[in-house]
Amino acid sequence: MTQILPEVYLDYSDILIRPKMGINLNSRKDVNLSRLFKFKHGQTRTGLGIFNANMATVGNFDVAKKLLSRGMFATLHKHYSVDEIGKFLESCRTENIPLDNLFITIGLRNADNEINKLKELESKYNWVSPRNICIDAPNFYIGRALDVLAQVRNNFNDAVIMAGNIASSDICLKLLDYADIIKCGIGSGSACLTRKQTGCGVPMVSLILECADVAHSVNGHICADGGIVDIGDICKAFCLNSDFVMAGGIFAGTDEAAGDIVEKLFETSEIIDNKRVIQTKCFKQYYGMSSEYANNKFAGGMSNYKTSEGRELLIPYTGALDKVLQDIMGGVASCCTYIGASSVKHMSKCATIIQVHNQLNKVFEKYSV
Ligand code: 5GP
């Protein structure tokens, strides 16, 4: 018989972090944002556990470079060629941008080709340890996913491997036999249509709790992927014990994200000389990697057995990525001072999470300038 689990699964908007007296931190400057990660398969990396999504719009060189130079982690999307990635590696080396936290993404389809691509990167462009691989599939439950993961691990024994996406803890242990980081989240993304088209998905807060618990029991790590609306959600993910957070939408409106700025004209409610005032607003394109747009661009069209599980959006232009990254670092550090955590690593130990019906006061939101 089909069962309905009685527990209500929670999302970021259902919770808040309750400030409390902890160790006395005088300033946000005293918070250590960087953390040492000791991975299950033997490697270590250091940084603030934030990734850009491995999507064509934000998994690009310019976004990756900025995150890496801020001590964060970065992915590159899987549609770059070996030579394009190679040239990027070379430019980072000359500009002294650290590459220790850069993840190269591969897909599940044509695994042999994908592994050869990584080997070519190794032989042609000296992509040697430290090296990191992201194996990405919208649905890591499909049969061949585990085989591909095992194959990648057998070929790159010394790599840090992140694999996903999944949305239940039952699969975590199996994946951690080969992977170091499990990417968790199905249906939460801002450009995602999976929940609409398939009815499948799990709210992020409950998912993080469940997967972190299982993964940490065997020294695995998790990355909470998708659904970050506000920087506070990143703080919540860390407080819930997610080791990493991956985000797309919050980076997609920046100068560094791929795509041109699109200008649109808007009629405002203001009237001057009997005419409505027209305003120009700037936008950037952001699309899901399972959208029809992405299928047309990268896979020669939608297969006739598929439905589009992603949308194409024009989202407000937000300016320099540096400003967003600064806000993230400031927000996370400030959260630590509210809960008395001296470092990001300690956030989950210090946080008290409360369930709420109303997390934000939006009364003047439409008057924002
Ligand atoms: P965001 O930060 O924009 O909320 O979410 C980014 C995440 O959405 C990505 O890292 C990825 O996991 C997910 N995603 C990207 N493209 C698609 C898509 O076309 N369909 C679905 N279901 N998820 C997507």
Side-chain angles (χ1 to χ4, degrees), residues 54-346:
N54 48 280
M55 300 166 72
T57 41
V58 292
N60 59 333
F61 296 138
D62 288 349
V63 170
K65 230 179 218 184
K66 280 275 154 73
L67 268 76
L68 292 174
S69 50
R70 289 271 188 165
M72 300 181 187
F73 289 73
T75 63
L76 294 180
H77 69 71
K78 66 183 177 196
H79 299 291
Y80 281 127
S81 69
V82 169
D83 288 337
E84 285 170 328
I85 299 174
K87 288 196 181 98
F88 172 71
L89 298 181
E90 282 170 354
S91 79
C92 288
R93 285 176 189 134
T94 51
E95 288 171 50
N96 276 332
I97 290 171
L99 289 167
D100 296 29
N101 295 345
L102 175 70
F103 281 64
I104 310 286
T105 305
I106 59 169
L108 288 183
R109 209 176 294 156
N110 303 325
D112 289 339
N113 288 353
E114 295 285 67
I115 288 170
N116 286 339
K117 180 175 166 182
L118 295 176
K119 289 194 166 158
E120 208 185 325
L121 203 56
E122 176 182 277
S123 59
K124 248 175 126 175
Y125 293 100
N126 195 25
W127 182 66
V128 288
S129 189
R131 56 182 157 193
N132 314 299
I133 302 165
C134 170
I135 310 177
D136 179 71
N139 170 2
F140 221 83
Y141 292 89
I142 58 170
R144 66 175 187 283
L146 194 65
D147 297 337
V148 172
L149 170 58
Q151 201 184 338
V152 174
R153 171 56 74 200
N154 290 337
N155 279 274
F156 299 96
N157 203 24
D158 65 353
V160 176
I161 300 179
M162 173 158 70
N165 284 27
I166 56 103
S168 61
S169 57
D170 53 357
I171 194 176
C172 288
L173 289 183
K174 255 191 198 167
L175 299 189
L176 286 167
D177 281 344
Y178 308 103
D180 296 286
I181 310 168
I182 309 291
K183 202 145 76 78
C184 307
I186 288 183
S188 302
S190 56
C192 166
L193 284 177
T194 295
R195 292 185 187 173
K196 265 180 176 291
Q197 296 299 87
T198 72
C200 292
V202 176
M204 289 308 286
V205 165
S206 302
L207 180 64
I208 294 171
L209 285 177
E210 165 179 333
C211 294
D213 192 39
V214 172
H216 293 166
S217 71
V218 293
N219 298 321
H221 290 75
I222 68 159
C223 175
D225 176 16
I228 299 297
V229 176
D230 298 306
I231 290 168
D233 298 336
I234 296 177
C235 302
K236 290 175 186 176
F238 286 142
C239 285
L240 292 160
N241 224 350
S242 189
D243 306 287
F244 295 91
V245 176
M246 178 176 275
I250 57 166
F251 301 131
T254 63
D255 289 315
E256 287 79 355
D260 297 328
I261 296 170
V262 179
E263 285 190 355
K264 274 187 165 186
L265 296 178
F266 275 91
E267 268 192 0
T268 66
S269 50
E270 210 177 331
I271 296 178
I272 298 178
D273 294 338
N274 283 334
K275 282 189 199 139
R276 271 195 190 278
V277 175
I278 307 280
Q279 229 181 33
T280 309
K281 277 194 181 171
C282 295
F283 295 83
K284 286 199 79 150
Q285 186 197 34
Y286 181 49
Y287 55 86
M289 294 309 284
S290 306
S291 63
E292 191 169 349
Y293 182 89
N295 273 281
N296 288 339
K297 189 167 170 136
F298 298 112
M302 279 304 278
S303 309
N304 59 8
Y305 59 88
K306 273 189 183 172
T307 175
S308 160
E309 287 185 38
R311 3 167 178 249
E312 188 195 347
L313 303 158
L314 278 180
I315 61 164
Y317 165 67
T318 49
L321 175 57
D322 264 330
K323 167 82 173 68
V324 178
L325 299 182
Q326 186 60 45
D327 281 347
I328 291 175
M329 294 167 88
V332 173
S334 183
C335 175
C336 287
T337 63
Y338 277 113
I339 61 174
S342 60
S343 68
V344 171
K345 168 102 172 111
H346 289 129

